[in-house]
Amino acid sequence: MTSAAKAVEVAGQTTRTKFDGVLVTIRSRKSFFEVTQAIERSLQRFHIPKLMEYVTHGNRAGVEAYVDSTSTPFSIFWDFEQGSTMRLAGIPIESKFYLVGNAVIARGLFEYTGAAGLGAPVRVCVSQRDGEATRIDMELPSASFSAFPEVQPSSVPALLDAKLVKALEEAAA
């Protein structure tokens, strides 16, 4: 069988892996806006176009320096404000979604599988329904990554659990 035929065989293969998720919810007495401001003050913005400048020019030292400079403790890779749209739809809620991670730590996942991109950066949602407490929700990284047997030797999921939960608890306090 040729390598092209093998590639077709593999490309047509689908597997389903069951795993247990763990939802972490951190409640806060602070308002939605106070919590999102605290998160955005404590976490740096990871500017993808800046990173791509280094990548486009093959500047590995630039990539390394930029990643190192934005990885303490975590970076916001992307955010999306959903509440205004929900309010227009008649749902009384504030909601903001973030992708949060540490590119240096994430290397300890990607060395095992490219599928680590499904859980890194980590999805975080801050929300507050009218009259209710503000909450921060995320799937526990170690639970998410338990779907990937090849990541089992990595200490990164447990490290993310501890450090990211702590950073979000501090924002909520």
Side-chain angles (χ1 to χ4, degrees):
M1 188 175 268
T2 68
S3 61
K6 288 180 185 175
V8 171
E9 258 181 43
V10 172
Q13 186 178 33
T14 302
T15 60
R16 294 176 186 233
T17 305
K18 290 186 178 193
F19 65 98
D20 291 325
V22 177
L23 178 66
V24 174
T25 300
I26 302 164
R27 289 189 169 71
S28 177
R29 289 193 171 100
K30 290 181 179 178
S31 72
F32 168 82
F33 297 104
E34 290 171 319
V35 172
T36 55
Q37 286 174 352
I39 288 171
E40 292 171 21
R41 268 194 318 269
S42 65
L43 305 182
Q44 300 179 62
R45 294 276 173 178
F46 194 95
H47 193 64
I48 302 295
K50 181 154 183 86
L51 176 70
M52 292 314 296
E53 275 182 48
Y54 296 119
V55 171
T56 301
H57 293 97
N59 183 347
R60 182 175 178 169
V63 167
E64 296 289 335
Y66 183 67
V67 166
D68 288 345
S69 74
T70 59
S71 294
T72 304
F74 292 96
S75 297
I76 297 171
F77 287 83
W78 188 75
D79 64 45
F80 180 65
E81 195 282 319
Q82 302 165 303
S84 55
T85 306
M86 294 302 110
R87 286 191 174 279
L88 281 173
I91 301 168
I93 194 167
E94 297 295 341
S95 180
K96 193 163 189 178
F97 170 83
Y98 296 94
L99 289 177
V100 176
N102 178 312
V104 174
I105 293 173
R107 291 176 186 161
L109 295 166
F110 283 92
E111 69 180 281
Y112 294 99
T113 179
L118 288 173
V122 176
R123 297 173 298 155
V124 175
C125 183
V126 180
S127 64
Q128 182 179 29
R129 293 186 68 83
D130 286 0
E132 295 180 6
T134 301
R135 57 188 283 164
I136 303 171
D137 292 287
M138 69 171 212
E139 187 168 348
L140 194 65
S142 61
S144 296
F145 289 112
S146 71
F148 306 104
E150 56 268 48
V151 175
Q152 296 299 321
S154 177
S155 62
V156 170
L159 179 66
L160 286 173
D161 289 355
K163 288 187 172 216
L164 188 52
V165 169
K166 182 179 185 243
L168 295 173
E169 285 173 338
E170 288 172 359

